[in-house]
Amino acid sequence: MELKLYHALIDAGIQAKEAEKVVEALDEKMQQQLATKSDISDLRTDMANLEGRLIKWVSSLMVAMTAIFATIVAMIVKLLL
């Protein structure tokens, strides 16, 4: 892509040094801004780990809520009897 851009700038009348500066600046910015395959792989791994932690947290919360509900029902039954 860099070579094509360089030649396109030259064909458009931009001087070689200026075209080179533009291509270098664009390449540098792309290196900073764009995600690599490795970055995406790391993100997927992080998301999978987060998903596992979230499932454990929700499961624990459901068990706690069930225990609280059972306690409340037991208290109501004792009050009514």
Side-chain angles (χ1 to χ4, degrees):
M1 181 199 136
E2 294 173 11
L3 191 58
K4 286 183 180 182
L5 177 59
Y6 176 80
H7 287 297
L9 291 170
I10 296 296
D11 292 344
I14 306 295
Q15 293 182 3
K17 280 190 172 190
E18 295 300 316
E20 188 176 329
K21 287 180 184 178
V22 169
V23 170
E24 286 175 1
L26 182 60
D27 183 54
E28 181 181 328
K29 197 65 166 172
M30 287 174 56
Q31 292 293 328
Q32 294 172 357
Q33 299 287 327
L34 298 179
T36 64
K37 289 181 181 180
S38 176
D39 293 336
I40 293 171
S41 177
D42 291 346
L43 181 60
R44 285 184 177 160
T45 300
D46 291 346
M47 288 175 62
N49 291 337
L50 181 60
E51 180 184 20
R53 288 177 31 211
L54 185 59
I55 289 171
K56 288 177 186 176
W57 186 81
V58 170
S59 298
S60 298
L61 185 60
M62 289 175 61
V63 168
M65 289 173 53
T66 302
I68 291 169
F69 180 72
T71 302
I72 291 171
V73 168
M75 291 173 68
I76 291 173
V77 168
K78 283 184 181 181
L79 286 173
L80 293 177
L81 296 178

